[in-house]
Structure formats: C-alpha cells, structure tokens
Amino acid sequence: MNTMNPIIILVASIFTHNIALTYILGMCPFIVISRNLKTASGMGVSIIFVVTLTAIINWPIYWKILVPLDAEIISYLVFIIVIAATVQLLEMIIERFFPPLQSAFGIFLPLITVNCIVLAVCLFMVLRKYTFIQTLFYSFGTSAGWALAIIIMAAIKEKLVLISDIPKGLQGPGITMIIAGLLAFAFMGFAGIITLQ
Amino acid sequence: MSDKKNIIDEIKNSKAFKVFASGIWLDNPIFCMVLGICSSLAITNKVANAIAMGLGVTFCTVFSSLLISLFRNTIPGRVRMLAYMTIIATFVICVDRFLKAFFPLISETMGPYVGLIITNCILMGRAEAYAINNSPFYSALDALGCGIGYTFMLLLMSIVREIMGFGTILDFRIMPDSWVNWTVLTIAPGAFFLLGVYLWIFRTISKKTDT
C-alpha cells in the first residue's frame, strides 16, 4: 500500500498532476462544453460528485472482492458497469427527489458515463495502490482539478469570442487546443512542488 | 485499360467503399469530429505507442461494432449504453492481455491508457451513430475506416513528436548528434500545440469550419 499523506495527494492531483492538462484526459467535454462559463461549472460540479462517488464504490469492490477472488482480469468490466449503474441511479434519484437540480445537472449525467476521467481515476487508484482514505482525497482532488481547468478554459473562451479575430481554420477545437497548451505550460510551473507516486 | 477503369469506378461508387473511405478522410474521427483524443494524445510521444494504441482501438472498434450490429434488434433501447460498455470492455480486456503477454514494455509505458480505450468516444460514437442501425458488414467496414483514419492521425502526431522531441524514430536515432531535442514536444503542452496546428492545417485545406 501507498504511504503518501492524503493532503499531499489532494494538492498534487489538483495542481501538479492536473488530469486534464498533464495527462490529457477528459478532453471531449473539455472542448465541447467549454463555450460558456455557466455550463462549464455545471459540468465541473457533476464530475466532482460522480468521480468521488464511483471511486469510493469501486475501491472496496476491487480490493475486497476482485483481489481475493483472483479476478483482477475483469476489473475493467466491473469498473465500467459500476460507473454506468451509479450514473443511472443518480439520474433517477435526482429526477425523483430533486427536480430543481434536474434542470441544472440532469443533461450532463448521461455524458459522464463515457467521460475518460471517471474510469481513469479508478485505474490510477488501483495502479498506485492507494488506501481508502487516499482514494477519497485523490478522486476529489482529481475531479476538482478537472473542474478548475474547464472553468478557466470557459472563462478564457468567453472573452476570446468577443475581442479576437481568429483565423477561420483555427476556430473551434483548434484554438481550444492552443489555449490548453498554454494553460498546461502555466500548470507546469507547479511541477517542482510535489512528485506523485 | 478501359475495363480496369470501369472496375475502379465501380468500386469507388459502391456503398462499401464510400462507408470505408469516409472514416479515413472526410469524416476522420480526429480532424473532423475531434473525438477520441482523450485517451491517446498523451501517449503519442513515441511511434511504437501510437501504433499499439491505433491498432488496439481499430481492433476494438471493428469487433464491438460487428457484435453490436449483430445484436441491434435484441438490445433494449433503455439499457443500450450499458450493453455497448460491456461489449467494448470485453474487447479492451483482450487487447490489454495481448499487450501484457507479447509487448510488456509497451504495455508498461502505456499503463492505464490501454484500459481507457473503453471510454474512447470513437467506439461509443460508432456504435451509437452507425452500428445500431446498420447491417454487420457495413458496420464493420465503417469501424475499420474510422480505425485506420484514427491510426493514421496518431502516426502523424507521433512521428513529429518523436523525431523532434527525442531525435529518434521507433527508438532508432535519425537526427545528427548536434540536434537539440525539443523537450516541449515530449510533454503535454507540445501535444496540445501540435494537435492545434494539425487541426488548423486540416480545416484550412478541407474548408470545414466549426460553428
């Protein structure tokens, strides 16, 4: 088991090892949904919730059921089914008990099932042999880092549309990539603080 | 001579060829739809990784499309996402095991990115957009076209990144010793910039603009 301090893992996963900008994961919504700040923050909050929830469900399933049974080989299958089921359940609960939330977050939930970072957090947690507490901090930090990245991106793009004259071919995903590259440079400034793993 | 030309025309106009070719160029998953870059952009800094990833994705796309298309009349609409996921994950496990057994080094460097093929939007996209409504033969062809287009694009990225960033290609040194490596291309920002530039070039040539 990993012996790192959970607080260090939290900081590292938000800043020095930001999942969007250093591992290049979760890019599809990063490009499509980052057009305005409000939807970007909605997506960010939904991601934080789902990622943390699925990671703490998947941790006991992997270490307490799959490992004793020697069935690590099907872990991908189990993880993805748990993720899909959790998202479906969450959708139903929100629909039934919290209708006001439905209009704010409901549209993002089906998209989250196929978001790479939900699965990525589960895979990294297994790979780095995190304990339960570390997993809790890691999954929260990673998703918060992703939310931070998409909110920064959306804020930049909102202003960009108003003031800049982008070449035709570069509009849309092209310019998003260039901005993401610059953001990744900025986040590399944190790199010396902590090394993960 | 004219016979040969006729045959070529016939092939070109057949539905199968159109389905196959659209994935490679016109509807290239990366340049056109900007799909599926999540799980592979990070590993395109070496050509060997890009080949492994491209072939892995192609294999999974073709077989999952084929299977989903075969079961398209029996999969209930409400749980179809779960059905796609289960089918895709099964094939990804095959790829993961194959790499671990025969190419342990590549498997190690790619780490969790192999598992992340499951959430690659291309597989889901092909299943939802094509395989669920079309016959197995065309679904497999469509998936093959997309897979090849995807592999081609990963190769384009990785060749530039490996030559400029490490001075090698497939770990074989081709740049002179005086070459100073462009370290930026081997890390994340380089991947973003390179893809941005490629998108710019491709969209200018094909006159395709984003709304």
mmCIF file of all heavy atoms in Angstrom, chain A residues 162-182:
data_model
loop_
_atom_site.group_PDB
_atom_site.id
_atom_site.type_symbol
_atom_site.label_atom_id
_atom_site.label_comp_id
_atom_site.label_asym_id
_atom_site.label_seq_id
_atom_site.Cartn_x
_atom_site.Cartn_y
_atom_site.Cartn_z
ATOM 1 N N LEU A 162 -15.299 37.588 -27.921
ATOM 2 C CA LEU A 162 -15.665 38.996 -28.038
ATOM 3 C C LEU A 162 -14.576 39.837 -28.687
ATOM 4 O O LEU A 162 -14.870 40.750 -29.447
ATOM 5 C CB LEU A 162 -15.965 39.581 -26.646
ATOM 6 C CG LEU A 162 -17.104 38.918 -25.877
ATOM 7 C CD1 LEU A 162 -17.207 39.528 -24.501
ATOM 8 C CD2 LEU A 162 -18.414 39.069 -26.628
ATOM 9 N N ILE A 163 -13.326 39.554 -28.366
ATOM 10 C CA ILE A 163 -12.291 40.523 -28.734
ATOM 11 C C ILE A 163 -11.354 40.069 -29.841
ATOM 12 O O ILE A 163 -10.667 40.875 -30.426
ATOM 13 C CB ILE A 163 -11.434 40.912 -27.519
ATOM 14 C CG1 ILE A 163 -10.908 39.663 -26.834
ATOM 15 C CG2 ILE A 163 -12.227 41.769 -26.552
ATOM 16 C CD1 ILE A 163 -9.842 39.957 -25.807
ATOM 17 N N SER A 164 -11.288 38.760 -30.135
ATOM 18 C CA SER A 164 -10.197 38.360 -31.016
ATOM 19 C C SER A 164 -10.676 38.007 -32.415
ATOM 20 O O SER A 164 -11.850 37.735 -32.641
ATOM 21 C CB SER A 164 -9.477 37.161 -30.419
ATOM 22 O OG SER A 164 -10.382 36.097 -30.361
ATOM 23 N N ASP A 165 -9.746 38.026 -33.344
ATOM 24 C CA ASP A 165 -10.042 37.718 -34.734
ATOM 25 C C ASP A 165 -9.246 36.468 -35.096
ATOM 26 O O ASP A 165 -8.114 36.538 -35.545
ATOM 27 C CB ASP A 165 -9.632 38.912 -35.605
ATOM 28 C CG ASP A 165 -9.944 38.669 -37.049
ATOM 29 O OD1 ASP A 165 -10.784 37.793 -37.327
ATOM 30 O OD2 ASP A 165 -9.344 39.350 -37.908
ATOM 31 N N ILE A 166 -9.854 35.296 -34.870
ATOM 32 C CA ILE A 166 -9.143 34.039 -35.049
ATOM 33 C C ILE A 166 -9.230 33.598 -36.503
ATOM 34 O O ILE A 166 -10.288 33.719 -37.116
ATOM 35 C CB ILE A 166 -9.763 32.944 -34.158
ATOM 36 C CG1 ILE A 166 -9.869 33.444 -32.720
ATOM 37 C CG2 ILE A 166 -8.964 31.652 -34.213
ATOM 38 C CD1 ILE A 166 -10.833 32.658 -31.885
ATOM 39 N N PRO A 167 -8.123 33.105 -37.102
ATOM 40 C CA PRO A 167 -8.192 32.585 -38.468
ATOM 41 C C PRO A 167 -9.268 31.506 -38.585
ATOM 42 O O PRO A 167 -9.500 30.758 -37.629
ATOM 43 C CB PRO A 167 -6.805 31.975 -38.684
ATOM 44 C CG PRO A 167 -5.943 32.560 -37.665
ATOM 45 C CD PRO A 167 -6.796 33.005 -36.533
ATOM 46 N N LYS A 168 -9.909 31.433 -39.761
ATOM 47 C CA LYS A 168 -11.062 30.534 -39.914
ATOM 48 C C LYS A 168 -10.765 29.093 -39.545
ATOM 49 O O LYS A 168 -11.541 28.456 -38.841
ATOM 50 C CB LYS A 168 -11.570 30.604 -41.357
ATOM 51 C CG LYS A 168 -12.894 31.331 -41.445
ATOM 52 C CD LYS A 168 -13.694 30.893 -42.661
ATOM 53 C CE LYS A 168 -15.178 31.125 -42.423
ATOM 54 N NZ LYS A 168 -15.581 32.503 -42.447
ATOM 55 N N GLY A 169 -9.643 28.583 -40.024
ATOM 56 C CA GLY A 169 -9.346 27.169 -39.780
ATOM 57 C C GLY A 169 -9.065 26.848 -38.326
ATOM 58 O O GLY A 169 -9.175 25.712 -37.895
ATOM 59 N N LEU A 170 -8.688 27.870 -37.580
ATOM 60 C CA LEU A 170 -8.284 27.641 -36.196
ATOM 61 C C LEU A 170 -9.446 27.753 -35.216
ATOM 62 O O LEU A 170 -9.334 27.380 -34.055
ATOM 63 C CB LEU A 170 -7.190 28.644 -35.830
ATOM 64 C CG LEU A 170 -6.288 28.335 -34.634
ATOM 65 C CD1 LEU A 170 -5.589 27.017 -34.832
ATOM 66 C CD2 LEU A 170 -5.266 29.424 -34.448
ATOM 67 N N GLN A 171 -10.585 28.245 -35.723
ATOM 68 C CA GLN A 171 -11.724 28.430 -34.820
ATOM 69 C C GLN A 171 -12.206 27.100 -34.258
ATOM 70 O O GLN A 171 -12.014 26.057 -34.849
ATOM 71 C CB GLN A 171 -12.873 29.106 -35.574
ATOM 72 C CG GLN A 171 -12.668 30.604 -35.685
ATOM 73 C CD GLN A 171 -13.619 31.241 -36.660
ATOM 74 O OE1 GLN A 171 -14.533 30.605 -37.148
ATOM 75 N NE2 GLN A 171 -13.384 32.508 -36.958
ATOM 76 N N GLY A 172 -12.893 27.166 -33.114
ATOM 77 C CA GLY A 172 -13.434 25.946 -32.517
ATOM 78 C C GLY A 172 -12.361 25.143 -31.824
ATOM 79 O O GLY A 172 -11.606 25.682 -31.015
ATOM 80 N N PRO A 173 -12.259 23.852 -32.146
ATOM 81 C CA PRO A 173 -11.326 22.992 -31.411
ATOM 82 C C PRO A 173 -9.872 23.425 -31.540
ATOM 83 O O PRO A 173 -9.099 23.280 -30.586
ATOM 84 C CB PRO A 173 -11.512 21.619 -32.053
ATOM 85 C CG PRO A 173 -12.615 21.724 -33.005
ATOM 86 C CD PRO A 173 -13.041 23.136 -33.150
ATOM 87 N N GLY A 174 -9.487 23.980 -32.692
ATOM 88 C CA GLY A 174 -8.095 24.379 -32.914
ATOM 89 C C GLY A 174 -7.610 25.333 -31.853
ATOM 90 O O GLY A 174 -6.604 25.081 -31.169
ATOM 91 N N ILE A 175 -8.360 26.422 -31.662
ATOM 92 C CA ILE A 175 -7.913 27.434 -30.707
ATOM 93 C C ILE A 175 -8.005 26.895 -29.273
ATOM 94 O O ILE A 175 -7.176 27.218 -28.424
ATOM 95 C CB ILE A 175 -8.700 28.761 -30.881
ATOM 96 C CG1 ILE A 175 -8.030 29.899 -30.133
ATOM 97 C CG2 ILE A 175 -10.137 28.635 -30.441
ATOM 98 C CD1 ILE A 175 -6.729 30.343 -30.745
ATOM 99 N N THR A 176 -8.989 26.009 -29.043
ATOM 100 C CA THR A 176 -9.093 25.399 -27.712
ATOM 101 C C THR A 176 -7.816 24.647 -27.371
ATOM 102 O O THR A 176 -7.325 24.702 -26.242
ATOM 103 C CB THR A 176 -10.282 24.419 -27.662
ATOM 104 O OG1 THR A 176 -11.419 25.061 -28.195
ATOM 105 C CG2 THR A 176 -10.574 23.979 -26.256
ATOM 106 N N MET A 177 -7.281 23.942 -28.377
ATOM 107 C CA MET A 177 -6.049 23.168 -28.169
ATOM 108 C C MET A 177 -4.892 24.092 -27.830
ATOM 109 O O MET A 177 -4.087 23.808 -26.937
ATOM 110 C CB MET A 177 -5.709 22.383 -29.445
ATOM 111 C CG MET A 177 -6.539 21.170 -29.625
ATOM 112 S SD MET A 177 -6.126 19.988 -28.358
ATOM 113 C CE MET A 177 -7.692 19.610 -27.725
ATOM 114 N N ILE A 178 -4.783 25.202 -28.560
ATOM 115 C CA ILE A 178 -3.673 26.127 -28.312
ATOM 116 C C ILE A 178 -3.782 26.713 -26.892
ATOM 117 O O ILE A 178 -2.793 26.774 -26.157
ATOM 118 C CB ILE A 178 -3.676 27.276 -29.350
ATOM 119 C CG1 ILE A 178 -3.678 26.712 -30.779
ATOM 120 C CG2 ILE A 178 -2.507 28.218 -29.128
ATOM 121 C CD1 ILE A 178 -2.371 26.224 -31.277
ATOM 122 N N ILE A 179 -5.014 27.108 -26.512
ATOM 123 C CA ILE A 179 -5.196 27.649 -25.155
ATOM 124 C C ILE A 179 -4.835 26.587 -24.116
ATOM 125 O O ILE A 179 -4.162 26.865 -23.121
ATOM 126 C CB ILE A 179 -6.649 28.112 -24.921
ATOM 127 C CG1 ILE A 179 -7.019 29.222 -25.896
ATOM 128 C CG2 ILE A 179 -6.833 28.609 -23.501
ATOM 129 C CD1 ILE A 179 -8.481 29.565 -25.879
ATOM 130 N N ALA A 180 -5.286 25.338 -24.379
ATOM 131 C CA ALA A 180 -4.991 24.261 -23.438
ATOM 132 C C ALA A 180 -3.482 24.084 -23.306
ATOM 133 O O ALA A 180 -2.972 23.846 -22.210
ATOM 134 C CB ALA A 180 -5.646 22.967 -23.885
ATOM 135 N N GLY A 181 -2.764 24.211 -24.424
ATOM 136 C CA GLY A 181 -1.306 24.095 -24.385
ATOM 137 C C GLY A 181 -0.694 25.159 -23.489
ATOM 138 O O GLY A 181 0.172 24.871 -22.659
ATOM 139 N N LEU A 182 -1.174 26.407 -23.648
ATOM 140 C CA LEU A 182 -0.642 27.495 -22.820
ATOM 141 C C LEU A 182 -0.977 27.269 -21.347
ATOM 142 O O LEU A 182 -0.145 27.476 -20.465
ATOM 143 C CB LEU A 182 -1.221 28.840 -23.291
ATOM 144 C CG LEU A 182 -0.730 29.295 -24.666
ATOM 145 C CD1 LEU A 182 -1.511 30.498 -25.135
ATOM 146 C CD2 LEU A 182 0.751 29.626 -24.606
#
